Amino acid sequence: MKTLAFRLAAAALLASAAAFPTVAQTPAAKASAAARDVAHERLWLGSAWYPEQWPESAWEEDLRLMQGHGANVVRIGEYAWSRMEPTEGQYEMDWLVRAVRLAGKYGMKVVIGTPTDTPPAWMTQKYPDTLQIDGNGKRLGHGGRRQFSISSQRYRQFAQIIVTKMAEAVKNEPNVIGWQIGNEPTDESYDPEARAAWVAWLKQRYGTLDKLNEAWTTAYWSQTYTDWEQVPFNTDKANPGWMLELKRFVTSQWRAFHRNQLDAIRAVIGDKQFITINFGGLGWANRFDRYEMNRDLDVTSWDDYVGMGHLKAYRNGATHDLVRGWKRQNFWVMETQPGFVNWAPVSNMLYPGETRALAWQSVGHGADAVLYWQWRNALNGQETMHGSIVGPDGRPLPIYSEVQQIGRDFAKASAALKGTTPISPVAILQDYPSRWAIDFQLHHKDYDQIETLLDYYQPLKDALGAVDMVEAAEAPLARYRLVVAPSLNVITDEMAKRLTDYVQGGGHLILGPRSGMKDEYNRLDTVRQPGPLATLLGGQVEQYYALDEEISVGSGKASIWAELLSTSAPDTQVLLRYGKANGWLDGKPAVISRKVGKGRITYVGALVDDAVMKGLMDTALGDAGVVRDFGVPADVELMTREGNGKRIVILVNHGREAREVALPSAMTDILGSGKVRKVSLAPEGVAVLQR
Ligand code: GAL
């Protein structure tokens, strides 16, 4: 058990942390429900359009062709700072207003992107202090993008002014429905202002150096700090407690950077338009905490790029589910590839139909918008080779007709999908502190938390069609029959209480390996894994082992990681044991489970093979009384969206062979016509059905 002194110290730390929220601001003003609902009122289809790169005489034809493929939205402006403020303090917004109005003439709604990813050259020249210093101490220069420092107060001021001018220019334009702040937040800065902010943040969070020293166990290697300025600020590998806090600090800097723009825009536009951030193409990226960043937004969005090769259906689908969980609502795919990209080792074209399959997979997982990057290739610049919908001549490329097909599909299915979202009885818990904590101390080079999560996801997705992925620390759990935490390494006392309440309330919690090892400060818990849940489980991890060879478990195999489990309560059952293993594990418990009232808690101590995992998940679903909807052949993905009394089934054939799907009952074929009992899906084929 933890000592009283330890608990008191932890409680004091918790109290001091709670007293200092990471962003000391009032909650962000939100769009009205009506403005937010616009984002979800229909299926949106469109692309990123850069009118600033073309003579105005070309705009109308661009828009006519967009309308011709069924587009109803464009994103404008996100890199156009030098066009909007050609010299310091001289603002030119007329062209933007003209572009917005012309788009309106062709039935296009507009999302305005703020241009803060690409500051103008005059700023770089005159105010080098606005530039980022990277983790190696190098100051960035002009010519690329994202060279700014998120911590520069001067840069934030410039950003605030330009977005205010933009908002003033378009606030009354009826076809502007939303805003995107910046584009794809990525790198933080290590400049002197950032350092000062780091020290201020630490002081606010800890109050005294004694608390900080204790939380990070700085007696280790003479790390004890006697002056705040001694605390390191760089990207070197260091104390894991320090590393976790640096991530939280970076998150708070990003959040404040965006809030600066968000508050300025909101002050001008009122609650008429929604505000989003495009979190970019790496859904699983973890430079900062996406849940925190999303708290201020009305809608979330990301970029769904395949890159090299072809769509990896489970991984891509799970990424959509992750994104849907950021705000626990439907989302926008702000960018996706019209066939191919320019940045992959091999930037191959998707198969005919695959771009459409990709769009429908997005919708099946909760996207209400699909926008292509980009509409038309610029004549020069870093991305001239990227896929687009029309060529540099302004004429449709071969992919245009496939995008046109998507336009026809969306027009047919939009009304049926309105008000629906994937709904699942099962949730997978995700959490950035745990992601970071494990990655900092991998212990086995092949321990991949995303792959581990996908191991659980795959059988659940196959069985259910929809799986939620939600934030461990915040998401309400009561409505789930089964909650799976594949790698919940950091379990705070508060989180432990939530999970305990869930189990005691009748839910089934499954914990994967490495769970409950660390506290909020990335300190080892003095109770063995799963730490604060060990008593509830009636068992614990005696020892963990990084595996250099496959071992046997149940009727299958485990690799990479295995833990030796023990039971301490008489009613804790051993569900699986290791067979011939590494000697230490031979015959020992690998999976244990305990019934708690109507609920249950299960601990899986190893990374097991697909068959063993399927067995575990099927048993768990059976115990939880969750029944399979209907079966589909290999390569066919079943997705479901529900709401407003409607139940929509989306089927996509990700394979290279035609497939037939027998339906459990007659359903309305939304993209075809009438009621059907079975559907035939060509390779990359799609069916949208209403039950
Ligand atoms: C995105 C970015 C776009 C464009 C695109 C190319 O990450 O937001 O501006 O660069 O990649 O695939």
Side-chain angles (χ1 to χ4, degrees):
M1 288 302 288
K2 287 173 181 165
T3 63
L4 181 64
F6 178 90
R7 285 208 171 272
L8 287 176
L13 271 173
L14 217 66
S16 65
F20 300 112
T22 45
V23 179
Q25 287 165 320
T26 48
K30 296 272 180 188
S32 67
R36 216 176 35 240
D37 288 353
V38 170
H40 308 293
E41 77 177 19
R42 67 178 83 160
L43 291 178
W44 295 99
L45 180 68
S47 49
W49 183 45
Y50 299 102
E52 71 276 16
Q53 296 169 1
W54 298 95
E56 226 167 301
S57 55
W59 294 359
E60 195 136 3
E61 179 60 4
D62 274 345
L63 291 161
R64 195 186 64 76
L65 285 169
M66 284 182 206
Q67 194 178 42
H69 81 65
N72 49 21
V73 67
V74 274
R75 186 186 58 171
I76 305 183
E78 84 274 11
Y79 294 128
W81 199 331
S82 64
R83 186 71 199 275
M84 290 188 272
E85 191 180 359
T87 57
E88 185 177 353
Q90 183 210 337
Y91 302 99
E92 290 183 7
M93 298 293 167
D94 292 357
W95 69 272
L96 182 68
V97 175
R98 287 197 299 277
V100 165
R101 289 190 182 155
L102 199 62
K105 184 175 152 198
Y106 284 88
M108 237 46 76
K109 304 288 183 194
V110 177
V111 172
I112 303 280
T114 75
T116 49
D117 262 27
T118 50
W122 57 257
M123 196 188 302
T124 306
Q125 182 182 38
K126 188 164 169 196
Y127 304 106
D129 56 311
T130 58
L131 295 171
Q132 186 186 122
I133 294 188
D134 70 14
N136 301 318
K138 182 175 158 246
R139 187 154 322 253
L140 304 194
H142 210 80
R145 56 184 168 176
R146 306 188 187 117
Q147 65 268 32
F148 61 93
S149 161
I150 54 169
S151 301
S152 158
Q153 290 304 326
R154 194 198 301 279
Y155 192 65
R156 287 190 194 175
Q157 221 168 15
F158 273 121
Q160 195 184 66
I161 297 171
I162 192 75
V163 303
T164 303
K165 297 281 179 198
M166 292 169 79
E168 282 165 352
V170 300
K171 68 176 178 208
N172 291 323
E173 297 303 319
N175 60 323
V176 173
I177 56 168
W179 291 74
Q180 174 192 299
I181 298 174
N183 188 54
E184 300 190 333
T186 49
D187 296 342
E188 66 279 8
S189 182
Y190 292 88
D191 58 81
E193 268 183 281
R195 190 186 209 301
W198 165 238
V199 170
W201 185 88
L202 288 173
K203 283 184 183 163
Q204 209 183 28
R205 181 154 163 81
Y206 288 94
T208 68
L209 276 171
D210 284 351
K211 283 185 184 165
L212 178 150
N213 282 317
E214 192 197 336
W216 300 357
T217 318
T218 54
Y220 190 85
W221 286 1
S222 277
Q223 287 169 24
T224 309
Y225 302 112
T226 54
D227 182 330
W228 293 99
E229 296 298 331
Q230 295 164 359
V231 181
F233 184 61
N234 50 40
T235 53
D236 288 348
K237 276 224 176 305
N239 180 318
W242 170 92
M243 288 168 84
L244 195 65
E245 292 297 47
L246 187 64
K247 287 288 191 193
R248 293 188 173 120
F249 165 73
V250 166
T251 300
S252 79
Q253 287 293 290
W254 267 117
R255 196 170 166 192
F257 177 80
H258 287 121
R259 269 297 290 277
N260 170 57
Q261 293 186 47
L262 190 146
D263 289 344
I265 296 168
R266 189 60 78 214
V268 178
I269 63 172
D271 61 1
K272 286 191 293 195
Q273 296 144 5
F274 67 80
I275 301 181
T276 189
I277 291 174
N278 168 16
F279 284 94
L282 303 166
W284 296 102
N286 65 357
R287 280 194 89 91
F288 45 80
D289 186 327
R290 259 95 174 138
Y291 295 112
E292 280 290 320
M293 300 270 287
N294 267 285
R295 301 205 205 286
D296 299 324
L297 307 179
D298 302 307
V299 177
T300 200
S301 62
W302 80 294
D303 296 342
D304 187 17
Y305 286 106
V306 173
M308 186 161 91
H310 295 274
L311 177 61
K312 293 181 185 62
Y314 286 105
R315 194 181 172 100
N316 201 58
T319 315
H320 283 307
D321 296 338
L322 170 83
V323 171
R324 191 176 75 251
W326 287 341
K327 289 197 75 66
R328 299 196 300 277
Q329 70 190 38
N330 285 2
F331 57 91
W332 277 39
V333 170
M334 197 55 91
E335 299 177 14
T336 183
Q337 64 193 64
F340 60 92
V341 299
N342 68 321
W343 43 258
V346 178
S347 293
N348 61 284
M349 181 71 170
L350 296 179
Y351 297 123
E354 197 176 357
T355 300
R356 176 173 176 244
L358 188 64
W360 272 109
Q361 193 198 30
S362 307
V363 174
H365 285 263
D368 284 332
V370 175
L371 278 76
Y372 289 92
W373 199 93
Q374 56 182 332
W375 171 249
R376 181 173 180 175
N377 303 86
L379 296 183
N380 218 328
Q382 276 85 331
E383 297 178 306
T384 47
M385 300 286 287
H386 199 283
S388 57
I389 300 176
V390 300
D393 58 356
R395 306 306 310 150
L397 290 164
I399 196 71
Y400 183 90
S401 52
E402 190 166 324
V403 179
Q404 210 165 26
Q405 171 73 52
I406 300 167
R408 282 194 296 272
D409 291 351
F410 279 17
K412 283 184 188 160
S414 194
L417 282 157
K418 183 175 172 183
T420 67
T421 189
I423 292 185
S424 181
V426 174
I428 293 183
L429 298 186
Q430 238 284 122
D431 181 59
Y432 290 92
S434 288
R435 286 273 309 280
W436 295 325
I438 292 179
D439 282 354
F440 294 159
Q441 296 177 303
L442 219 42
H443 208 70
H444 189 307
K445 67 179 176 37
D446 299 330
Y447 200 104
D448 181 328
Q449 291 178 73
I450 312 311
E451 290 301 325
T452 300
L453 182 147
L454 290 174
D455 287 346
Y456 287 86
Y457 177 84
Q458 213 158 307
L460 294 170
K461 175 71 173 65
D462 285 346
L464 302 169
V467 176
D468 279 356
M469 215 174 287
V470 295
E471 183 183 14
E474 295 284 338
L477 301 178
R479 78 177 180 83
Y480 296 112
R481 307 286 277 278
L482 180 66
V483 165
V484 180
S487 307
L488 202 56
N489 196 238
V490 172
I491 299 190
T492 63
D493 287 348
E494 265 174 37
M495 206 186 279
K497 180 167 180 331
R498 276 164 49 70
L499 295 172
T500 303
D501 288 350
Y502 169 70
V503 171
Q504 287 175 340
H508 183 178
L509 172 68
I510 298 182
L511 298 168
R514 304 180 84 146
S515 292
M517 194 179 200
K518 303 285 195 72
D519 75 2
E520 180 185 356
Y521 299 94
N522 212 2
R523 244 181 331 207
L524 288 172
D525 205 308
T526 52
V527 179
R528 290 193 198 170
Q529 291 166 252
L533 295 174
T535 308
L536 188 71
L537 176 65
Q540 67 177 24
V541 174
E542 296 300 330
Q543 180 65 67
Y544 51 84
Y545 300 91
L547 300 177
D548 56 354
E549 56 197 350
E550 264 191 353
I551 61 170
S552 80
V553 62
S555 57
K557 299 275 181 225
S559 55
I560 300 176
W561 195 270
E563 294 170 344
L564 192 168
L565 309 184
S566 69
T567 60
S568 55
D571 55 342
T572 301
Q573 305 158 266
V574 176
L575 297 189
L576 278 186
R577 288 182 183 274
Y578 298 105
K580 182 86 193 92
N582 64 351
W584 300 98
L585 291 160
D586 294 6
K588 294 289 195 302
V591 180
I592 60 177
S593 184
R594 186 185 193 196
K595 202 162 176 335
V596 181
K598 289 206 169 97
R600 179 175 279 286
I601 176 167
T602 300
Y603 192 99
V604 179
L607 299 187
V608 298
D609 67 24
D610 290 352
V612 173
M613 180 58 85
K614 182 166 163 28
L616 287 171
M617 291 303 107
D618 282 352
T619 307
L621 290 171
D623 284 353
V626 179
V627 286
R628 187 180 283 261
D629 195 1
F630 61 85
V632 288
D635 296 331
V636 173
E637 184 179 0
L638 163 71
M639 294 162 273
T640 57
R641 285 179 55 153
E642 296 173 44
N644 281 350
K646 292 176 286 196
R647 295 174 72 202
I648 311 295
V649 172
I650 296 171
L651 299 169
V652 175
N653 179 5
H654 297 296
R656 306 301 302 142
E657 303 291 328
R659 301 279 184 211
E660 291 249 304
V661 184
L663 307 177
S665 58
M667 300 186 194
T668 307
D669 182 356
I670 293 176
L671 302 184
S673 64
K675 293 260 183 194
V676 289
R677 298 289 315 220
K678 66 172 184 349
V679 290
S680 306
L681 296 169
E684 311 298 347
V686 175
V688 182
L689 307 156
Q690 185 156 1
R691 298 194 83 166

